[in-house]
Amino acid sequence: AEALKKRGMADDESLYLETVRKSLADLQKGLNRDAVTVSKGGHGMMVKAVLNGEVTCLLAVDTGAAVVVITKSIADRLEINPNDSLEDVQFTLADGSIIKSKVVKIKSVRVGNSTVYDVAAAVTDKPPGSGIDGLLGMSFLSNFNIKMDVANGKLILETIK
């Protein structure tokens, strides 16, 4: 507070700034922070995900995708039958093409040390890109405060304890 007063701040301003700093410090203490290593490529930032605790796949991080998207081959490995779908949907991809898909539930999706249960996912016959198994969409990502640290190759997933 004394340093702030030397800068010409009024007592009420310096008290306010002290309160804000303390609140931010308390908030940071209450966060679980998982910094997941990503690989960079033609599809942007990609992460390894473990589905249902057993199938590891490579997903492109896509905040524009409403749900997680997986290929039919990944669904087969998970023994998920798209015909048991919750609903049929249509997606418009970034290139303007439209794909039809079935929405299913994945029991769990784990990225790094962060797990979400009962995640909506679309199963598609058309892979969203060469060399990737799908997209990590908002049905997973919306459970976190997310940050993309592109310079350091990290996807940061934060939750409040």
Side-chain angles (χ1 to χ4, degrees):
E2 288 300 316
L4 294 173
K5 283 182 184 178
K6 287 179 184 176
R7 292 185 192 155
M9 294 193 134
D11 285 340
D12 58 341
E13 288 176 308
S14 102
L15 180 60
Y16 172 74
L17 285 176
E18 271 184 50
T19 304
V20 168
R21 284 189 183 118
K22 183 177 180 334
S23 294
L24 284 173
D26 289 345
L27 180 61
Q28 286 178 337
K29 288 178 192 171
L31 289 178
N32 281 327
R33 189 170 192 263
D34 188 9
V36 180
T37 300
V38 299
S39 54
K40 300 176 206 172
H43 303 292
M45 297 178 77
M46 295 164 290
V47 294
K48 286 185 181 175
V50 179
L51 310 180
N52 293 352
E54 60 189 54
V55 174
T56 300
C57 60
L58 187 63
L59 302 177
V61 177
D62 189 347
T63 59
V67 296
V68 169
V69 176
I70 58 172
T71 60
K72 173 83 169 72
S73 64
I74 294 294
D76 290 344
R77 289 177 53 201
L78 293 168
E79 298 179 359
I80 293 175
N81 183 350
N83 293 328
D84 297 336
S85 166
L86 302 172
E87 63 181 303
D88 294 338
V89 292
Q90 248 184 204
F91 293 101
T92 303
L93 301 179
D95 66 3
S97 63
I98 295 175
I99 58 171
K100 292 182 180 183
S101 182
K102 305 246 184 210
V103 176
V104 298
K105 284 278 186 184
I106 298 176
K107 291 176 191 168
S108 67
V109 175
R110 180 172 49 86
V111 174
N113 295 316
S114 300
T115 303
V116 176
Y117 298 93
D118 295 322
V119 178
V123 178
T124 180
D125 289 327
K126 180 182 177 187
S130 173
I132 60 172
D133 300 307
L135 304 174
L136 187 65
M138 293 307 290
S139 59
F140 176 86
L141 294 170
S142 66
N143 292 278
F144 304 93
N145 177 26
I146 59 171
K147 297 176 185 174
M148 291 190 222
D149 182 352
V150 179
N152 294 306
K154 300 287 182 190
L155 170 65
I156 300 164
L157 304 169
E158 295 176 336
T159 55
I160 296 174
K161 293 179 188 173

